[in-house]
Amino acid sequence: MRPQSASMVRPSTAGPVSLAPLASTWTTTSGLMGASIPRPATAGSSRPKWEVEEKQVLRFYSYFAETVYEGGSNDTRSGQRIRQCTILYYLQDGTVSVDEPKTANSGLPQGRFMKRMKQALIPADFSIGEEVTINYRKFMVVDADRKTREYFRNELGTALPPSLGIPDDGYSDLRASRGIPKKSRPQSARMKGEFYNKDLLVLTFKCAYQDDKLYGERRDYLMYYYVLNDTVEIKEVAAQGRHNFPNLLRRQKLPKDSFYVPNGIGGAMESGKDVQKDDDDVQYVTWKDLVCGSSLNIYGRKVLLVSCDNTTIEWFAKQGIVQKPLKLSVEETEGPAGPKVPAYNGYGSEDDLYAMGASLEPKIIDRKLEDFARFMRAKGKVLRFLAKLVGVSGQDQDREFVINYFLATDQVSVYEPPIRNSGIVGGLFLGKGRYKKFIRANGIDGEVETPVGGGRGGRGGALSRWIKPTDFFLHANVTFEMPSTGSKLFTLNVKGYDDYTKKIMESDKDEFPQSSTDLDVVRLSEKFTATKLPIRTIFAEADRFGKRQLTVEEFKNCIKAIEKEATESGTTKIYDLPEDELTQMCIDFGVETEEGFMVNYDDLVDLMVLAAPRTAREYERDRQGTFAFSVEERMLKVMRTHFDNAGTAKLRSSFREKDSEGSGFINSESYKSVLRKHKFHVIMTERAADALRMQYDTNADGTLDYNSMCDAIHPGDFDKYVDAYIGPKTYGEKPKIGGPKNPLASTVKTAGEGLTTEEYLKKMNDTNFSFSGDLKKQLVRAFNSFSSCFARHNRKKQLRKHMTAFDIYHLGTVTKAQFLSAIDDVTAEFFIDFDERDRDLIADYLFANDEIKLDYEKLLDAICSRDVKKAEALRNESMESHVDIDKQFLVVDEQRARDFGGTLNLFAAK
């Protein structure tokens, strides 16, 4: 029930109630329509009690004594601990909550001691110096805050007593005595403000390490040097086939030439002794010690600094140091080669083979998604062509075949209709599957002796490719090739097709281009590539004025002359272009000029290069990743992708549109806009684009000679093109990579220019192993290696046993050969990785010759104790005590010389 105000009295129901006294408490407005409802005014200046006490909270400070059963208190007699609490009493609803302030290092779960809940308590129950019971726990109230005291004085009319003290249980003093004093931070030796003057840059270096021990492997690392505080962090580059270990060295200061690993297991040897230098005497690696081509000691592991990023090069240049990354060979500059993919065996597709050979889990490549969309679009469509055999005689000339081309999967099957009374059984002539079109290069057949094909053992045509639906046009000769073996099957001549096939060929623009010029370009490129004709050179010779244009008559004569030469070679059997298609080609590549209608033959040659069939060896090198590609070659790959997808990729035309004056040169802005238009920005950076432009800046004025660059991207001389990519022409010959004679690799370095990373690492390891000829350091390293391999009790015992087997006279000595034999036997028995160079160094130093014998107990003691001076003393002692047996028979007979005066010579000449 809501509390009532003390000034209000409930009216009696015995008699009528007068409303006159209340009339003055109501404020009314005019009695007009729409006036607001009258509201009662506040009766007097007082408010309801519930409104006054709504947000008031009484706060009392108290404590309670907790019994300690385990003797945790310093007061062992009472066994109690005093815990301070704050009691909150909410006047709104009479609820109570208890909080315990948190004390540092108390070990108690302090904070909210009791959540807010209803208790049978009123404010008058709380008084200073008296106990109050809450949930069967007694709290001694010792104090209250100022507002609580005012409430008691004003509302309840009583004043609270003064505050009391809280008894001390001794626990706070005990905790204070056991506290850890905070160390004062020493004043930094650096100048004030030096930290803020430091550079926040992180220098990045590419490093490599080669373990020169048996079965050692190469590791690649990335080193980050923080200029701010001279710390170094080295991370390992993830490699396939090896578990990725993130850090070789966590971020810390790196001591120079230190073999002692701080906080490591055992620690390595330094100068023959276990030494840990004081921090004041240690010299740490700084940015001045980081130079490309040098080595860095990472606690005994020599790491080669191969290269650094451009930001690091620029920062060092500002410091006056020129960073020169190591000059690597072509194989290294193009990145590590991918996993080796086996040769195609005919099952599935080449894309499936690559996806399975690249990783254990085959991935779906983008082309598979495109093939699936094409499959859904062409599902159930089968093209049928009528064909006859080519190059046969007799009754085989009358045999007819039906070629079924399954458009969804690019598979082909050949069916032979039965002919009655012919003696030839009809039926399935060629099983359903994917086949290649056999295309041979002029004068080269893919056989075992000349492995240039894509089949097993290099068999097959050098330019063979997968059969496409556009290959089956009227009067076309299609030679089938088995993909797995490269065997040439048969040749069919297309004689016709059914109405359904004609309808699809006329309606499906994705599979069958409607322009005859596009088909003619593909057929001409196939013919001219197979015959290896220098097309661009032939057109350039016909261009008498060097304007890169020919008249219609000159263009037709040039095409006919090239076709005649290709036909006479007999390499391919593709019909010559009819006159109407030649005229249409002139219209497509022609332009109206002041001198009349001219044909841009460069555009035709560029498209023929894009449509040219690629060699089998080029496909294989793309899969294996063993070919070094220049910028122009990568641009050609992008252009071929555009040509396959869109049917056109006219780079030269785009440049010509920007050249309004027709000078053959464009500025840098136009050049970059054309690159973005043809999506070259995905394969090159802006810096690479500027370098390419400077390469073809023939006028040295910042412009681009786009004709020269397009000629380099589209090599139109197919004789050089085929020879560059044909691969090995004899069995066992290795394919050549790059070279100045390759028209597609004019800017690629030769393979002999620069060493590989493995060669640099081997050279560095050999230098570090020899310590620049310091014999003492070599012996220290060799003794350390020997003791780590043979100092164990069981191995040392077995080594002594093998030496004792050679000591048949129990002299306790061994020769050099016996010492080496014992080491080899124990090494093989326990599978010890002991470097043979250290073994030979120890044997050659301690045994001056093969006849010297050493006490093997002293020998093992000197080596395993890693004491070079003791080993040197043992060597000198053995050399002094050794007597050469051959010199024992050369003692001078001085007595005989005295008897005869040294004049007797029986063998003197008479």
Side-chain angles (χ1 to χ4, degrees):
M1 177 182 293
R2 190 170 66 180
Q4 302 293 328
S5 174
S7 61
M8 298 180 65
V9 179
R10 183 182 297 275
S12 174
T13 58
V17 180
S18 178
L19 299 179
L22 299 177
S24 60
T25 63
W26 291 80
T27 58
T28 59
T29 58
S30 60
L32 298 177
M33 184 65 66
S36 61
I37 300 175
R39 297 182 180 180
T42 304
S45 59
S46 62
R47 292 181 299 172
K49 183 179 180 180
W50 63 268
E51 186 177 353
V52 174
E53 299 177 348
E54 180 181 5
K55 295 183 180 180
Q56 288 191 5
V57 180
L58 305 182
R59 180 177 284 103
F60 302 93
Y61 300 102
S62 63
Y63 71 89
F64 70 93
E66 182 183 33
T67 304
V68 180
Y69 298 100
E70 297 180 359
S73 173
N74 190 34
D75 189 359
T76 58
R77 292 173 298 176
S78 61
Q80 291 181 342
R81 176 177 297 155
I82 302 301
R83 299 179 63 174
Q84 302 179 26
C85 296
T86 301
I87 303 174
L88 302 177
Y89 185 89
Y90 300 87
L91 294 174
Q92 179 182 3
D93 52 1
T95 56
V96 179
S97 67
V98 182
D99 294 336
E100 182 180 7
K102 291 186 178 181
T103 305
N105 301 323
S106 66
L108 300 175
Q110 297 169 330
R112 176 55 59 94
F113 188 80
M114 186 188 77
K115 67 180 182 178
R116 182 178 175 179
M117 63 177 56
K118 191 74 175 179
Q119 296 289 333
L121 297 172
I122 60 175
D125 295 334
F126 295 90
S127 180
I128 297 176
E130 297 182 2
E131 291 183 346
V132 58
T133 303
I134 302 176
N135 288 351
Y136 304 99
R137 189 182 294 272
K138 294 182 179 181
F139 293 87
M140 174 62 71
V141 181
V142 296
D143 197 2
D145 62 356
R146 181 178 57 84
K147 288 191 175 184
T148 302
R149 290 179 180 273
E150 291 177 356
Y151 176 83
F152 271 80
R153 185 169 51 251
N154 298 333
E155 299 293 338
L156 302 182
T158 60
L160 291 175
S163 60
L164 302 177
I166 300 177
D168 186 14
D169 59 356
Y171 182 70
S172 58
D173 296 337
L174 178 64
R175 185 174 60 252
S177 63
R178 294 179 179 178
I180 301 175
K182 188 175 182 180
K183 294 183 179 179
S184 59
R185 189 172 183 179
Q187 184 67 24
S188 176
R190 292 185 175 181
M191 295 177 59
K192 191 173 182 180
E194 183 181 357
F195 180 82
Y196 300 99
N197 297 330
K198 283 284 187 177
D199 200 333
L200 299 178
L201 182 67
V202 179
L203 308 179
T204 305
F205 290 85
K206 181 181 178 182
C207 309
Y209 168 73
Q210 177 66 49
D211 189 358
D212 56 351
K213 295 182 180 179
L214 186 63
Y215 307 117
E217 59 182 359
R218 171 188 163 184
R219 298 292 180 97
D220 294 327
Y221 300 101
L222 287 177
M223 185 182 71
Y224 301 100
Y225 182 86
Y226 297 86
V227 184
L228 179 65
N229 52 4
D230 299 330
T231 54
V232 179
E233 182 182 22
I234 302 179
K235 293 181 175 294
E236 182 176 350
V237 179
Q240 188 176 10
R242 184 172 63 236
H243 181 69
N244 183 23
F245 194 81
N247 290 346
L248 172 68
L249 182 71
R250 63 179 179 143
R251 183 176 175 181
Q252 59 182 274
K253 286 191 174 183
L254 180 63
K256 289 184 179 180
D257 300 329
S258 176
F259 291 85
Y260 182 85
V261 182
N263 300 328
I265 300 177
M269 295 299 298
E270 183 174 354
S271 301
K273 298 179 181 180
D274 285 330
V275 179
Q276 183 179 9
K277 298 181 179 179
D278 297 335
D279 293 341
D280 299 336
D281 301 333
V282 175
Q283 294 182 355
Y284 294 98
V285 173
T286 63
W287 56 268
K288 298 179 181 179
D289 303 319
L290 306 178
V291 181
C292 292
S294 62
S295 60
L296 191 64
N297 180 25
I298 313 295
Y299 295 115
R301 177 174 295 194
K302 290 289 186 177
V303 175
L304 175 66
L305 303 183
V306 180
S307 62
C308 56
D309 59 358
N310 296 328
T311 305
T312 304
I313 294 177
E314 295 173 358
W315 188 87
F316 271 98
K318 294 178 182 179
Q319 312 303 322
I321 299 177
V322 179
Q323 290 284 359
K324 295 182 179 180
L326 293 180
K327 195 174 185 180
L328 302 177
S329 62
V330 173
E331 295 86 346
E332 293 281 340
T333 55
E334 294 299 327
K340 299 297 181 182
V341 181
Y344 178 63
N345 56 6
Y347 295 98
S349 64
E350 292 182 347
D351 295 335
D352 296 333
L353 178 68
Y354 177 75
M356 294 173 63
S359 63
L360 294 177
E361 298 180 0
K363 299 180 180 179
I364 299 177
I365 59 180
D366 295 338
R367 185 172 179 181
K368 283 298 178 184
L369 301 178
E370 298 175 2
D371 291 346
F372 180 75
R374 180 171 175 267
F375 171 81
M376 298 302 296
R377 185 178 63 253
K379 184 178 180 181
K381 296 181 180 180
V382 181
L383 309 181
R384 292 177 177 85
F385 302 91
L386 181 64
K388 286 190 175 184
L389 288 173
V390 177
V392 295
S393 59
Q395 60 180 356
D396 291 337
Q397 296 179 353
D398 300 330
R399 298 172 65 180
E400 293 183 346
F401 301 89
V402 177
I403 303 175
N404 300 316
Y405 190 94
F406 299 87
L407 201 58
T409 58
D410 292 327
Q411 292 180 315
V412 180
S413 67
V414 180
Y415 176 79
E416 183 179 9
I419 303 177
R420 300 182 62 181
N421 301 326
S422 64
I424 299 176
V425 180
L428 187 64
F429 186 75
L430 182 64
K432 182 180 178 181
R434 290 199 68 189
Y435 298 93
K436 287 186 176 182
K437 182 180 180 181
F438 179 83
I439 306 174
R440 61 182 293 268
N442 190 15
I444 301 177
D445 290 324
E447 300 294 343
V448 177
E449 291 76 13
T450 55
V452 297
R456 188 177 304 163
R459 298 179 178 87
L463 303 174
S464 298
R465 57 169 176 80
W466 295 107
I467 291 179
K468 300 184 295 185
T470 53
D471 294 330
F472 300 100
F473 56 90
L474 287 179
H475 310 295
N477 292 331
V478 181
T479 303
F480 288 77
E481 178 184 321
M482 182 63 67
S484 58
T485 61
S487 303
K488 180 180 176 182
L489 301 179
F490 48 83
T491 303
L492 295 178
N493 181 265
V494 180
K495 296 297 184 180
Y497 42 80
D498 57 4
D499 295 338
Y500 177 77
T501 303
K502 180 179 180 181
K503 180 181 178 180
I504 293 179
M505 294 173 64
E506 293 176 352
S507 60
D508 194 346
K509 297 181 180 180
D510 295 330
E511 299 291 344
F512 300 92
Q514 301 302 308
S515 175
S516 61
T517 303
D518 295 339
L519 295 175
D520 292 338
V521 168
V522 176
R523 296 164 188 169
L524 287 177
S525 64
E526 181 179 318
K527 180 192 296 186
F528 298 158
T529 305
T531 53
K532 301 197 310 182
L533 296 177
I535 305 302
R536 194 179 296 278
T537 302
I538 295 175
F539 276 112
E541 292 176 353
D543 184 11
R544 294 171 296 175
F545 302 102
K547 295 183 178 180
R548 295 181 177 269
Q549 292 178 341
L550 295 175
T551 62
V552 175
E553 193 66 26
E554 291 174 344
F555 179 79
K556 288 184 178 181
N557 294 335
C558 197
I559 290 291
K560 292 178 181 179
I562 297 174
E563 285 187 327
K564 181 179 179 181
E565 184 175 355
T567 304
E568 292 176 354
S569 65
T571 304
T572 58
K573 298 179 181 180
I574 301 179
Y575 75 101
D576 296 339
L577 295 181
E579 189 67 25
D580 57 342
E581 294 185 5
L582 266 178
T583 303
Q584 184 62 38
M585 186 178 294
C586 293
I587 296 175
D588 293 340
F589 294 101
V591 61
E592 192 69 37
T593 62
E594 297 178 356
E595 300 177 358
F597 192 81
M598 307 293 288
V599 180
N600 295 320
Y601 61 85
D602 280 331
D603 295 345
L604 172 63
V605 177
D606 293 348
L607 289 181
M608 283 196 294
V609 171
L610 300 179
R614 303 174 63 188
T615 65
R617 287 293 172 241
E618 185 179 356
Y619 279 114
E620 182 179 351
R621 291 171 186 172
D622 286 350
R623 293 197 307 269
Q624 302 290 352
T626 58
F627 198 83
F629 296 103
S630 64
V631 178
E632 292 88 345
E633 291 173 305
R634 290 194 287 268
M635 294 176 70
L636 178 61
K637 287 180 175 293
V638 174
M639 299 294 292
R640 277 177 170 167
T641 304
H642 293 173
F643 182 83
D644 293 338
N645 295 340
T648 179
K650 299 179 180 180
L651 178 63
R652 198 187 299 263
S653 299
S654 300
F655 282 128
R656 197 180 292 120
E657 292 175 358
K658 298 292 183 179
D659 183 16
S660 58
E661 299 178 357
S663 61
F665 297 88
I666 59 174
N667 56 23
S668 178
E669 296 180 359
S670 302
Y671 159 69
K672 291 183 180 179
S673 65
V674 174
L675 293 185
R676 286 191 294 269
K677 175 183 177 181
H678 290 269
K679 303 184 184 305
F680 289 131
H681 60 278
V682 299
I683 63 170
M684 69 174 71
T685 61
E686 186 175 0
R687 181 176 298 180
D690 292 336
L692 184 64
R693 180 188 55 80
M694 294 175 61
Q695 183 179 350
Y696 295 100
D697 184 8
T698 56
N699 292 339
D701 56 356
T703 59
L704 171 72
D705 183 3
Y706 59 85
N707 285 317
S708 299
M709 190 182 77
C710 290
D711 291 345
I713 297 175
H714 308 86
D717 294 337
F718 292 110
D719 53 345
K720 299 178 182 179
Y721 167 80
V722 174
D723 291 338
Y725 280 116
I726 201 65
K729 296 183 181 180
T730 59
Y731 181 77
E733 180 185 356
K734 295 183 179 180
K736 298 180 180 179
I737 300 177
K741 294 183 179 180
N742 186 351
L744 301 183
S746 57
T747 60
V748 180
K749 299 185 298 183
T750 58
E753 184 178 353
L755 303 176
T756 61
T757 304
E758 286 77 7
E759 294 172 343
Y760 280 115
L761 288 171
K762 185 179 183 302
K763 186 177 180 181
M764 180 196 69
N765 290 334
D766 293 342
T767 303
N768 295 330
F769 191 86
S770 62
F771 289 102
S772 301
D774 192 337
L775 181 60
K776 185 176 180 180
K777 292 183 178 180
Q778 295 180 28
L779 289 174
V780 170
R781 185 208 58 249
F783 287 173
N784 290 337
S785 178
F786 184 93
S787 59
S788 62
C789 294
F790 300 99
R792 301 179 185 179
H793 177 71
N794 57 336
R795 295 182 181 180
K796 190 175 181 179
K797 180 179 179 181
Q798 197 70 12
L799 186 62
R800 187 184 291 107
K801 179 180 179 181
H802 280 75
M803 293 182 183
T804 307
F806 293 109
D807 187 16
I808 58 178
Y809 297 107
H810 304 287
L811 300 177
T813 59
V814 290
T815 62
K816 178 180 179 180
Q818 295 169 353
F819 175 71
L820 294 176
S821 178
I823 292 179
D824 293 339
D825 293 341
V826 177
T827 300
E829 182 177 354
F830 289 93
F831 301 98
I832 302 174
D833 185 10
F834 183 50
D835 199 324
E836 294 182 356
R837 294 174 294 180
D838 290 334
R839 181 202 64 179
D840 296 339
L841 177 63
I842 294 175
D844 294 339
Y845 177 77
L846 294 176
F847 295 89
N849 54 58
D850 297 339
E851 287 77 19
I852 287 182
K853 292 186 176 182
L854 294 179
D855 188 334
Y856 49 79
E857 292 294 343
K858 295 182 180 180
L859 177 64
L860 293 178
D861 179 63
I863 299 177
C864 294
S865 63
R866 310 176 185 183
D867 194 341
V868 179
K869 293 183 179 180
K870 186 182 294 187
E872 184 179 2
L874 179 63
R875 179 176 184 271
N876 296 334
E877 179 184 352
S878 64
M879 293 178 63
E880 292 175 358
S881 60
H882 175 68
V883 178
D884 195 344
I885 300 177
D886 296 335
K887 293 182 179 179
Q888 291 181 354
F889 298 96
L890 300 177
V891 180
V892 179
D893 190 359
E894 297 179 355
Q895 183 67 33
R896 183 180 178 84
R898 286 195 302 269
D899 293 342
F900 297 94
T903 59
L904 181 59
N905 189 356
L906 302 177
F907 302 98
K910 296 181 180 180

